[in-house]
Structures are given as C-alpha cells and as structure tokens.
Amino acid sequence: MAESIKPELFSPLTLAYLGDAVLELIVREHYIRKSNKQVQKYHKDVTAVVSAISQSAFIDSIESELTEEETAIYHRGRNASVHTKAKHATMAEYKKATGFEALLGYLYLKNDRERLMKLVRLLLEQHGEEEMSDGSDILI
C-alpha cells in the first residue's frame, strides 16, 4: 500500500492547482446532474461560480468560520507569490481565490470529503443553488 500523502508538505500553489481542478469538476458535475442543456450554457453557469471574483467574495464571507488549520492553509495560498492573474479580477481577488483553491486542494488530499463538499455547497448557495448533492454521488 502506498504511503499516505501529507498535504501540508505541498506548496500552496500546487494545492491551488489541484483545488482549482477539483472545484471545476464538482461544479460542472453539479450543473450536468441538474439539467441537460447546451455546453455554452453550462459554461456560463460554471464560470460564474468558479471565477476568481466569486471565490474571493465567498472566502471573504466565510473566512471567520474556517478552522485554525484551514485559515493557515488559506493564508499560505493567498500569500503565495503568483506570477499571473485572472482576466477579470483584481490581483487581491486573484490571490484570495488562490488561497481558497489551496484550501480545497488541501482538503481533497487530506481526504476530508465532507468539509470539501460543505464549502462547495456554500459557494453554490451563494449563487442561488439550493439543491446540492451531499457529495456521495460525486465521482471524485
């Protein structure tokens, strides 16, 4: 059996890289399970949720509810030296989104599916999505 992964040992940008993919996959799957429509319409719905601006506003609204461990991971990601930014976001928004994605990547590697899905559900609720899976049917 492979040695267990220690997510705290990964760089915050590696965690954010993974967290970005995990978030995108969960949100895409949510919208696909919800209805069958044209890909462009899925893209519009998904990008509204996963954008740096959306993630920044979301983390601002829940940061005080993060655990000490989660806050430390979020801050590591937010404070990481990034060399790019999102097209439609400020650098501050982009850095907050990077921190949030680092937290999601950390939770994913830590195999804390319950907390990961809770945060994604809250993010979707911020966008008016009331019916979100508990994650038991999500394939990740």
Side-chain angles (χ1 to χ4, degrees):
M1 178 177 219
E3 189 176 321
S4 66
I5 293 177
K6 297 182 188 314
E8 64 278 2
L9 298 180
F10 287 91
S11 78
L13 294 179
T14 298
L15 294 173
Y17 178 71
L18 179 60
D20 175 64
V22 169
L23 178 61
E24 181 89 18
L25 180 60
I26 293 169
V27 173
R28 282 184 183 196
E29 186 171 336
H30 166 74
Y31 280 104
I32 288 170
R33 287 178 180 274
K34 186 176 172 182
S35 65
N36 188 5
K37 54 188 169 184
Q38 296 171 322
V39 172
Q40 311 90 284
K41 292 179 181 176
Y42 286 131
H43 180 72
K44 183 179 178 188
D45 291 341
V46 171
T47 55
V49 174
V50 302
S51 73
I53 294 168
S54 169
Q55 291 180 49
S56 174
F58 174 69
I59 197 67
D60 281 345
S61 72
I62 65 146
E63 186 175 2
S64 64
E65 299 171 35
L66 298 177
T67 67
E68 188 175 313
E69 174 186 30
E70 291 169 344
T71 299
I73 296 296
Y74 164 66
H75 285 166
R76 280 182 58 211
R78 185 196 63 196
N79 296 334
S81 179
V82 295
H83 303 288
T84 137
K85 82 172 197 68
K87 284 192 278 189
H88 304 290
T90 66
M91 184 54 84
E93 289 168 330
Y94 185 74
K95 289 174 88 59
K96 287 179 185 180
T98 301
F100 177 62
E101 290 170 347
L103 174 56
L104 295 180
Y106 175 80
L107 292 171
Y108 179 80
L109 287 177
K110 190 179 169 191
N111 204 26
D112 191 346
R113 179 186 211 105
E114 183 178 330
R115 182 62 171 163
L116 172 68
M117 292 306 297
K118 179 176 183 175
L119 292 176
V120 175
R121 271 195 307 281
L122 290 171
L123 175 61
L124 281 161
E125 286 172 11
Q126 177 178 288
H127 288 273
E129 292 295 314
E130 299 299 324
E131 297 176 25
M132 172 64 190
S133 159
D134 66 358
S136 60
D137 58 347
I138 298 292
L139 300 176
I140 64 163

